Amino acid sequence: MASVVDLCNLALSRLGDSATVASIDPPEGSAQAEHSSRFYPIARDSLLEMHNWKFATRRAVLSELTVDSFNWTYAYAEPNGALRIISVLDATQSAEDESYPFAAESGEDGAALIYTNLQDATVRYVARVTDTTKFSPLFADALAWLLASHIAGPLIKGTAGQAAAKACYANFNLVFSYAKVSDANQRKSEPTHTPGWIAGR
């Protein structure tokens, strides 16, 4: 699978830039490496947050906190590395079940919190995945287009840079749509239990 540097060089090639970078962490000193280092994490996290990617979806038992839960019964710590909360469930629910009501907020100290009325809650969330070997091929393709749209302006000045950024973002949207469909088709939805109202028939 493509490395971070591979994805950055793919983004550069899509801008018609013949330069290649060997490192962005730390950046090797070229303008291409500097801009790639600056915008790669932004592009990656933005794309991760846009969809419930199979490779980035996690489920975890929440840790209850002894803090003011305001109008909620329980307050929990948000899992480290969570980019977006998908649902709050009890331990017996499947991924397809409806989420319990919850509110994701920040405490006074900036800590990420989840409020809900569910005891012993679990959470499904999209995690920040930095290991590129976990990315699907279409996700990596879309990420390179999104990164190219970010670095086009700094590397290609003026209206030409704006046009290149716009073209790259259009290509990103196209590949992104394919990536979402492919990702959704790889998921299986199988019932884990029979609802009581059906079993009682």
Side-chain angles (χ1 to χ4, degrees):
M1 298 298 292
S3 67
V4 171
V5 168
D6 291 333
L7 293 173
C8 292
N9 286 326
L10 179 56
L12 290 169
S13 70
R14 287 172 171 172
L15 296 174
D17 195 321
S18 60
T20 58
V21 299
S23 172
I24 68 165
D25 187 21
E28 62 189 18
S30 66
Q32 288 85 352
E34 292 286 346
H35 294 313
S36 296
S37 176
R38 177 183 177 189
F39 290 111
Y40 176 81
I42 297 172
R44 179 200 63 213
D45 288 357
S46 296
L47 184 52
L48 284 168
E49 194 173 352
M50 290 178 187
H51 177 69
N52 299 344
W53 303 102
K54 178 169 66 79
F55 69 85
T57 299
R58 306 279 188 272
R59 185 160 179 169
V61 176
L62 291 172
S63 299
E64 187 176 349
L65 300 175
T66 54
V67 298
D68 190 346
S69 55
F70 300 98
N71 294 324
W72 300 92
T73 308
Y74 302 99
Y76 298 96
E78 186 175 283
N80 290 331
L83 288 175
R84 180 167 54 81
I85 303 301
I86 301 171
S87 57
V88 170
L89 307 166
D90 69 38
T92 65
Q93 288 182 281
S94 70
E96 289 72 33
D97 287 335
E98 185 176 353
S99 173
Y100 279 81
F102 70 91
E105 300 179 7
S106 295
E108 291 184 359
D109 60 355
L113 306 175
I114 298 174
Y115 299 110
T116 183
N117 294 326
L118 177 64
Q119 187 177 20
D120 300 326
T122 67
V123 66
R124 292 181 70 240
Y125 65 97
V126 175
R128 177 179 289 106
V129 178
T130 59
D131 182 356
T132 60
T133 65
K134 306 300 183 185
F135 297 167
S136 68
L138 281 172
F139 178 93
D141 192 6
L143 177 54
W145 278 117
L146 184 57
L147 178 59
S149 74
H150 284 311
I151 63 179
L155 288 178
I156 307 171
K157 305 300 182 183
T159 57
Q162 295 174 1
K166 185 176 180 180
C168 287
Y169 197 76
N171 283 320
F172 158 72
N173 276 321
L174 181 63
V175 177
F176 177 48
S177 66
Y178 295 149
K180 287 191 296 182
V181 171
S182 176
D183 186 75
N185 287 339
Q186 293 178 50
R187 296 172 181 266
K188 292 184 179 180
S189 177
E190 298 178 355
T192 58
H193 65 280
T194 302
W197 64 273
I198 294 178
R201 285 186 171 181

